[in-house]
């Protein structure tokens, strides 16, 4: 498998490092960059520009060929090339044939470089909050690091072959505090082969899909494998970032879909993905909107899909034991109660979203008339979460608590139907005034997750809407805003494009309602689109073109889940 570095970064499991082709922007020139994704998506993190050099020090054009374990830079002058391999979480190995290689670091703040020891130069990057050691293994290293009062004004490292040879080997190691020299370096073939074996093992453990989508499966497996970062800083467990392009965080509903894709074959890692936000839970019960290694964001949050997720996972693994249920029960209780206590300002028993971001559907037309908004999807998630809490309480012998949760679930379902089912459809409305929102959003079909808990006439109406090929159902799946709506926009984020989470939720909803044929048909359309267009953040509903960030883990995870669950 090869992939385009303009779209999918070259990286590996357990590292904050990545290599990408980047366009010209500001002072940055177009080219191939070694990056770090530390610090979240408020930093882009380009560290070193990578260039091939001829024997006169002139740039040699190349074409990048990236695979999961090896990045090869081929030139028109065979056998002149370079290879790059990320051999562990902190090390990038380089070797060249018939050429040299230059790394250029654009400095700012107090960035500097100095010779640490013979053949080893430390680059201390205040900008990236880490350090890099440039380690010459074979060949010559020439550094250009002019000093400018408090920093190096530029840092240029040129690695070139020794006289009479035609190759170079060197490494770049990332570290934060103290660098420990490597006692010995494995031969290149051995080091690269170990990475290839590691990815192959991950691929083999990934969910199977029909043969026609094997290219998509390999890409999805690579993206999920390569987006894992270590448990450092605010990250209490190994974490699967949404991407190593721009969305270099984990959000508090995205992580659920990644956990679901892992639970059958990698349940320990799946549990880590599911629990990581509860590790950072506020005493009020709130969990943060997103986390990265450096900080958490508390300005908004995401919907409580965690009970639904946990129930789904429990049905598919024997890994989740009593100890896991005891670990999650208290945090899930607090998260559920938070919505009823802190997000029901008009006291009608129907919790609200204070902003579109809180729903995950940031700019959905459900929020057209202003905020806060009461929406039936939120009530649905809470009902499902309450039911799971009732089940867990029963399994833990908490009989009274189990009964109390069941009563709350029944009451919430009754209130939800009275509150939102109007004129043969579900509506969203302003909290307090209950002014009905404009638009025709797919968000209002999420209650189908309740399946047979809903009256038959409501289920039938929801299914008819989801089957309507002139409204939501396109050749590629469900648009997030009806294609007939005046608010529909092809690249309108949640006002038209197809998304993985909405697809996953509603496929499961169609199945819960008893329409397995619809669930399979939409899964087939969606997976076919992804196999063709890649694992983008979202997709043009009519053309299937990938939009925004195009190497997204939750898209990859949903592809694997639906391809395995509904099309095999």
């Amino acid at each position: 498998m090869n992939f385009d570095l303009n779209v999918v970064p070259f990286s590996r499991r357990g590292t904050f490092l990545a290599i990408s082709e980047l366009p010209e922007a500001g002072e940055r020139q177009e080219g191939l960059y070694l990056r770090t994704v530390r610090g979240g998506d408020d930093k882009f993190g380009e560290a070193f520009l990578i260039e091939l050099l001829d024997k006169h020090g002139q740039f040699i054009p190349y074409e990048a060929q990236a695979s999961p374990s090896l990045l090869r830079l081929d030139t028109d002058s065979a056998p002149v090339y370079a290879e790059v391999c990320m051999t562990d979480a902190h090390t990038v190995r380089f070797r060249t044939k018939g050429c040299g290689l230059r790394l250029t670091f654009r400095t700012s703040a107090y960035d500097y470089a100095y010779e640490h020891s013979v053949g080893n130069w430390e680059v201390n990057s205040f900008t990236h909050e880490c350090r890099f050691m440039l380690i010459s293994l074979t060949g010559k290293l020439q550094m250009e690091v002019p000093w400018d009062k408090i920093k190096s004004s530029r840092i240029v490292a040129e690695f070139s072959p020794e006289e009479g040879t035609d190759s170079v080997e060197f490494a770049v190691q990332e570290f934060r505090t103290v660098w420990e020299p490597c006692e010995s370096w494995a031969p290149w073939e051995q080091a690269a082969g170990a990475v290839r074996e590691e990815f192959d093992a991950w691929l083999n453990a990934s969910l199977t899909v029909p043969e026609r989508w094997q290219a998509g499966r390999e890409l999805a497996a690579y993206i999920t494998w390569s987006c894992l970062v270590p448990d450092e800083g605010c990250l209490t467990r190994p974490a699967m970032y949404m991407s190593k392009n721009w969305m270099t965080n984990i959000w508090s509903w995205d992580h659920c879909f990644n956990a679901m894709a892992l639970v059958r074959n990698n349940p320990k890692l799946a549990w880590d993905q599911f629990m990581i936000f509860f590790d950072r839970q506020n005493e009020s019960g709130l969990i943060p909107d997103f986390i990265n290694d450096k900080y958490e964001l508390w300005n908004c949050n995401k919907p409580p899909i965690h009970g639904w997720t946990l129930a789904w996972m429990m049905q598919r693994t024997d890994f989740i034991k009593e100890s896991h249920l005891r670990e999650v029960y208290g945090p899930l209780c607090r998260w559920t109660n938070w919505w009823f206590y802190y997000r029901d300002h008009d006291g009608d028993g129907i919790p609200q979203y204070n902003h579109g971001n809180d729903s995950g559907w940031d700019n959905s037309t459900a929020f057209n008339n202003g905020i806060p908004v009461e929406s039936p999807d939120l009530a649905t998630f809470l009902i499902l979460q309450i039911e799971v809490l009732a089940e867990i309480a029963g399994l833990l012998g908490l009989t009274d608590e189990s009964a109390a949760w069941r009563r709350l679930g029944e009451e919430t379902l009754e209130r939800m139907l009275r509150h939102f089912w109007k004129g043969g459809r579900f509506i969203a409305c302003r909290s307090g005034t209950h002014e009905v929102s404009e638009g025709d959003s797919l968000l209002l079909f999420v209650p189908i997750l309740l399946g047979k808990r809903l009256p038959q006439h409501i289920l039938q109406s929801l299914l008819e809407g989801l089957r309507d090929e002139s409204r939501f159902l396109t050749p590629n799946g469900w648009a997030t805003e009806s294609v007939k709506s005046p608010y529909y926009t092809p690249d309108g984020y949640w006002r038209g494009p197809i998304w993985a989470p909405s697809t996953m939720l509603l496929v499961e909803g169609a199945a819960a309602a008893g329409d397995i044929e619809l669930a399979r048909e939409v899964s087939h359309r969606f997976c076919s689109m992804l196999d063709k267009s890649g694992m983008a953040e979202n997709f043009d509903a009519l053309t299937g073109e990938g939009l925004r960030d195009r190497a997204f883990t939750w898209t990859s995870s949903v592809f694997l889940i639906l391809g395995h669950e509904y099309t095999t």
Side-chain angles (χ1 to χ4, degrees), residues 440-456:
D440 191 11
S441 175
L442 189 67
L443 180 69
L444 303 179
F445 285 76
V446 168
I448 200 171
L449 276 172
L450 293 168
K452 301 305 172 80
R453 302 170 188 81
L454 297 177
Q456 184 60 36

Side-chain angles (χ1 to χ4, degrees), residues 211-268:
E211 184 64 33
R212 62 185 177 277
W213 294 330
Q214 283 309 303
R217 177 177 181 253
E218 290 184 17
L219 179 60
Y222 169 72
I223 290 173
T224 52
W225 174 76
S226 66
C227 283
L228 282 161
V229 297
D231 52 338
E232 290 188 20
C234 290
L235 300 172
T236 55
R237 305 173 191 239
M240 188 179 289
Y241 273 6
M242 290 310 100
S243 172
K244 284 184 178 175
N245 277 329
W246 305 285
M247 308 292 278
T248 51
N249 306 306
I250 49 172
W251 277 263
S252 56
W253 71 320
D254 309 41
H255 70 117
C256 290
F257 300 97
N258 291 334
M260 291 163 70
L262 293 169
V263 74
R264 280 187 176 87
N265 301 326
N266 203 334
K268 172 61 169 67

Side-chain angles (χ1 to χ4, degrees), residues 101-120:
L101 192 147
R102 178 165 60 211
L103 298 179
T104 303
F105 186 96
R106 191 176 72 247
T107 60
S108 60
Y110 298 101
D111 299 344
Y112 67 85
Y114 77 102
E115 188 173 22
H116 175 280
S117 51
V118 176
N120 304 313

Side-chain angles (χ1 to χ4, degrees), residues 384-492:
L384 294 170
Q385 192 152 290
I386 288 165
E387 289 183 355
V388 171
L389 286 170
E391 179 184 353
I392 295 173
L395 291 170
L396 297 180
L398 305 172
T399 306
D400 291 344
E401 289 187 31
S402 179
W405 284 121
R406 293 198 186 281
R407 286 194 298 273
L408 179 59
E410 292 166 1
E411 292 165 3
T412 305
L413 175 59
E414 187 178 317
R415 282 196 297 267
M416 184 196 98
L417 293 175
R418 287 201 311 267
H419 203 79
F420 294 116
W421 186 255
K422 307 289 185 184
R425 69 186 186 100
F426 279 114
I427 57 95
C429 59
R430 288 284 296 276
S431 181
T433 67
H434 295 154
E435 172 192 1
V436 177
S437 300
E438 300 172 357
D440 191 11
S441 175
L442 189 67
L443 180 69
L444 303 179
F445 285 76
V446 168
I448 200 171
L449 276 172
L450 293 168
K452 301 305 172 80
R453 302 170 188 81
L454 297 177
Q456 184 60 36
H457 71 280
I458 293 180
L459 274 183
Q460 192 59 37
S461 178
L462 293 174
L463 287 170
E464 287 174 1
L466 292 175
R467 293 190 199 106
D468 190 344
E469 304 213 27
S470 69
R471 192 177 174 193
F472 293 107
L473 185 54
T474 77
N476 301 298
W478 284 307
T480 45
E481 179 76 11
S482 167
V483 296
K484 296 191 296 187
S485 167
Y487 300 104
Y488 174 82
T489 308
D491 187 10

